[in-house]
């Protein structure tokens, strides 16, 4: 940090934060001429490509050890300083943020360091939401960080080895949450077990995989036809899908499930829950994976900013915080509201990238004393991997599944790698993923 310069500080090195940094880096000469420098602060030294994190948790189970873990991570995790190399004039600082003094315009780190800012972009991301379900946090595996994915992978490997030694009757995995992450992991994990069976490591009856979803459909944010295609695909892979079913509590070796609460006018017969007439049911589980929801980083609430029920910062359409015109929020921790539909922008990587792009533009506009631009609230194409070389693509009413959907997803991943990494680094990351992440196919 140059003491003579004014800082544009970005909290968080996720999708939104990196997009702000890269787009501001394109204006490096202008910013330096005005006395500004850009600084990204994150508690870790890497940027995580979370759409492929499930591959780390479920990939290459036959091969063990730190070398394989490192290879798996190399396809989803990139050092912030490597990204900074391709961003003119962008610096990075590792540190845990404990607060923000908006009056003195300083970001406070756990180390005691205080970083002054002229403009602040909060892109602190999201964390797993356990919804207060008893025992869930203590007895489940999340999938938000590198450590989460590696811990889950190790846990499953331990049970596979125990089964091979005859110490386990069956490996029982339950996944809570039928959104994108839950579906992706379930499909890939089923592929992993099937590959292990083909290799003679286990038998087909040695595993069970159950996906639990509280609503009537998996991928409920997509059209019903897409949900139906996904359900059939999961069932063909051997995944048991329980819909209209909630996790009531979690304990060390079992999970208590219950039919979801009825809405006004509904009867038990309305539900597709397999045990809808029962109050609750106990399932034995070796590994419980929770992908059932996220909420914004607790930093937003601790900072005293206006937030919605999911902890997301309330912004105007320019992505500025209502009470702080020099502070912007983007990504999973931001909640701009579409004035037409009254809906909040979804917590998607594509949305975070669009918000990051706008925040960078508006900072430049503000420095130049130009009018700010408003967020356009676009619709976003969705591509969900469904195991092997099969994905479902939903875009502007069109639904494509199978190999073509998988190719689109590969292109989307490569395009993102090119957007944040130097050319040959992007190629290396993509090729590594293509080599490792298809081994369950």
């Amino acid at each position: 940090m140059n003491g003579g310069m004014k800082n544009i500080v970005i909290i968080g090195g996720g999708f939104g934060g990196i997009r702000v940094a890269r787009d501001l880096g394109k204006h490096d000469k202008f910013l330096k001429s005005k006395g500004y420098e850009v600084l990204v602060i994150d508690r870790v030294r890497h940027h995580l490509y979370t759409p492929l994190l499930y591959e780390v948790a479920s990939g290459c189970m036959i091969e063990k050890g730190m070398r394989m873990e490192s290879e798996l991570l190399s396809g989803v995790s990139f050092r912030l300083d490597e990204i900074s190399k391709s961003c003119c004039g962008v610096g990075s600082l590792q540190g845990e943020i404990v607060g923000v003094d908006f009056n003195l315009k300083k970001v406070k780190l756990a180390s005691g360091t205080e970083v002054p800012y002229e403009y602040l972009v909060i892109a602190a991301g999201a964390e797993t939401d356990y919804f207060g379900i008893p025992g869930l946090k203590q007895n489940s595996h999340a999938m938000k960080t590198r450590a989460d994915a590696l811990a889950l992978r190790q846990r499953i490997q331990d049970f596979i080895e125990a089964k091979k030694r005859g110490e386990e009757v069956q490996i029982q995995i339950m996944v809570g949450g039928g959104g994108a992450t839950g579906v992706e992991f379930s499909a890939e994990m089923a592929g992993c077990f099937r590959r292990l069976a083909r290799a003679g490591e286990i038998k087909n009856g040695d595993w069970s995989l159950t996906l639990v979803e509280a609503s009537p459909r998996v991928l409920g944010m997509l059209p019903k036809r897409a949900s139906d295609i996904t359900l059939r695909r999961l069932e063909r892979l051997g995944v048991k899908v329980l819909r209209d079913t909630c996790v009531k509590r979690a304990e060390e070796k079992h999970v208590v499930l219950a039919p979801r609460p009825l809405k006004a006018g509904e009867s038990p017969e309305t539900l597709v829950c397999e045990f809808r007439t029962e109050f609750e049911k106990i399932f034995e589980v070796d590994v419980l994976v929770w992908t059932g929801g996220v909420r914004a980083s607790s930093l937003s609430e601790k900072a005293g900013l206006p937030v919605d029920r999911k902890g997301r910062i309330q912004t105007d359409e320019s992505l500025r915080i209502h009470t702080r015109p020099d502070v912007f929020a983007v990504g999973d921790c931001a909640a701009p509201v579409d004035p037409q539909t009254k809906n909040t922008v979804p917590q998607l990587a594509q949305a975070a990238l669009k918000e990051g792009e706008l925040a960078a533009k508006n900072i430049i506009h503000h420095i130049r004393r130009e009018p700010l631009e408003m967020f356009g609230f676009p619709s976003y194409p969705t591509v969900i991997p469904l195991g092997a070389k099969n994905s479902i693509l939903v875009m502007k009413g069109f639904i494509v599944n199978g190999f073509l959907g998988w190719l689109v997803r590969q292109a989307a991943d490569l395009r993102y790698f090119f957007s944040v990494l130097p050319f040959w680094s992007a190629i290396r990351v993509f090729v590594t993923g293509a080599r490792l992440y298809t081994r369950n196919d």
Side-chain angles (χ1 to χ4, degrees):
M1 292 176 289
N2 186 339
M5 301 289 280
K6 296 174 285 188
N7 290 322
I8 300 174
V9 174
I10 302 165
I11 296 177
F15 290 103
I18 290 299
R19 184 57 188 264
V20 175
R22 288 191 61 82
D23 283 15
L24 287 175
K26 296 173 184 177
H27 299 272
D28 179 53
K29 290 183 179 179
F30 167 74
L31 289 172
K32 279 187 167 49
S33 72
K34 296 294 183 180
Y36 290 94
E37 66 178 8
V38 181
L39 180 67
V40 179
I41 305 177
D42 200 294
R43 67 176 181 275
V44 295
R45 294 178 179 177
H46 57 264
H47 169 63
L48 190 61
Y49 187 62
T50 51
L52 286 178
L53 194 57
Y54 73 94
E55 296 276 15
V56 176
S58 60
C60 302
M61 286 291 176
I62 292 177
E63 302 173 57
K64 297 178 282 292
M66 293 183 63
R67 179 178 177 182
M68 176 50 62
E69 291 180 353
S70 178
E71 285 194 57
L72 287 167
L73 285 173
S74 68
V76 301
S77 179
F78 327 125
R79 289 181 60 90
L80 286 175
D81 55 6
E82 183 179 16
I83 295 174
S84 297
K85 287 178 185 176
S86 57
C87 299
C88 298
V90 174
S92 61
L93 174 67
Q94 183 184 8
E96 183 178 354
I97 296 167
V98 295
V100 180
D101 188 324
F102 293 104
N103 295 321
L104 295 179
K105 301 180 70 167
K106 291 182 178 180
V107 176
K108 300 180 178 181
L109 306 185
S111 63
T113 302
E114 294 186 344
V115 181
Y117 68 84
E118 193 70 20
Y119 291 95
L120 178 65
V121 181
I122 302 177
E127 54 197 39
T128 302
D129 193 347
Y130 296 96
F131 300 101
I133 298 172
L136 184 58
K137 184 175 182 179
Q138 298 83 355
N139 295 295
S140 69
H141 289 265
M143 215 181 323
K144 287 293 294 178
T145 68
R146 301 195 318 174
D148 289 341
L150 291 178
L152 175 55
R153 171 184 165 79
Q154 184 61 56
R155 177 78 167 165
I156 295 171
Q157 279 188 325
D158 289 345
F159 274 99
I160 291 172
E161 293 302 314
K163 174 60 187 172
K164 289 160 66 175
R165 294 192 301 267
E167 298 171 6
E168 291 288 334
V169 176
Q170 189 182 54
I171 306 163
Q172 299 168 314
I173 299 178
M174 180 174 285
V175 181
T181 303
V183 165
E184 291 164 353
F185 175 75
S186 297
E188 192 64 26
M189 198 66 237
C192 173
F193 282 133
R194 288 155 69 98
R195 182 188 180 228
L196 289 170
R198 291 195 301 270
E201 298 284 320
I202 60 174
K203 297 178 181 177
N204 279 324
D206 288 346
W207 60 278
S208 73
L209 187 52
T210 303
L211 176 63
V212 179
E213 168 55 35
S215 75
R217 298 194 284 123
V218 294
L219 301 181
M221 70 287 193
L222 299 183
K224 184 177 184 302
R225 179 167 163 257
S227 294
D228 292 342
I229 292 170
T230 301
L231 177 61
R232 290 194 296 270
R233 169 68 177 171
L234 290 171
E235 291 176 339
R236 282 198 299 271
L237 290 171
V239 180
K240 184 176 181 62
V241 182
L242 299 177
R243 295 168 291 154
D244 278 339
T245 304
C246 299
V247 175
K248 191 171 183 181
R249 65 179 182 274
E251 299 181 12
E252 187 176 356
K253 292 293 290 183
H254 67 265
V255 175
V256 179
L257 303 181
R260 69 164 171 83
L262 295 174
K263 299 176 183 178
E266 288 185 329
S267 66
E269 289 70 29
T270 308
L271 305 181
V272 292
C273 177
E274 292 186 6
F275 50 95
R276 57 181 176 269
T277 59
E278 302 176 51
F279 178 65
E280 61 183 37
K281 192 169 182 177
I282 297 175
F283 288 76
E284 291 188 7
V285 174
D286 294 317
V287 182
L288 175 60
V289 184
W290 180 247
T291 63
V294 296
R295 64 179 292 106
S297 165
S298 57
L299 174 67
S300 309
E301 227 164 340
K302 290 177 183 176
L305 296 171
V307 298
D308 67 6
R309 62 183 179 83
K310 295 184 73 174
R312 296 175 296 184
I313 302 168
Q314 296 173 348
T315 73
D316 61 21
E317 292 176 60
S318 70
L319 303 181
R320 289 195 302 184
I321 296 172
H322 297 292
T323 55
R324 304 285 174 183
D326 53 354
V327 182
F328 294 78
V330 301
D332 286 351
C333 70
V337 176
D338 187 332
Q340 301 298 320
T341 66
K342 307 303 179 186
N343 293 329
T344 304
V345 172
Q347 291 173 295
L348 298 172
Q350 303 101 302
L353 293 170
K354 283 291 185 184
E355 290 169 355
E357 178 185 4
L358 180 63
K361 285 181 180 179
N362 279 340
I363 289 171
I364 298 298
H365 285 322
H366 198 266
I367 293 172
R368 289 175 171 163
R369 301 179 184 272
E370 297 170 347
L372 303 190
E373 297 181 34
M374 302 295 111
F375 194 66
F377 299 95
S379 60
Y380 302 97
T382 303
V383 190
I384 308 293
L386 299 178
K389 295 180 178 64
N390 189 318
S391 296
I392 187 162
L393 164 66
V394 179
M395 182 172 61
K396 295 183 178 179
F398 291 97
I399 298 174
V400 177
N401 70 293
F403 184 66
L404 180 57
W406 180 81
L407 286 177
V408 173
R409 174 56 187 260
Q410 297 303 299
D413 292 342
L414 181 58
R415 181 184 179 188
Y416 183 73
F417 298 154
F418 279 136
S419 75
V420 297
L421 294 170
F423 180 84
W424 289 113
S425 295
I427 293 293
R428 173 180 51 79
V429 166
F430 181 76
V431 170
T432 297
R435 177 173 58 86
L436 293 176
Y437 302 155
T438 57
R439 290 190 182 180
N440 288 334
D441 296 358

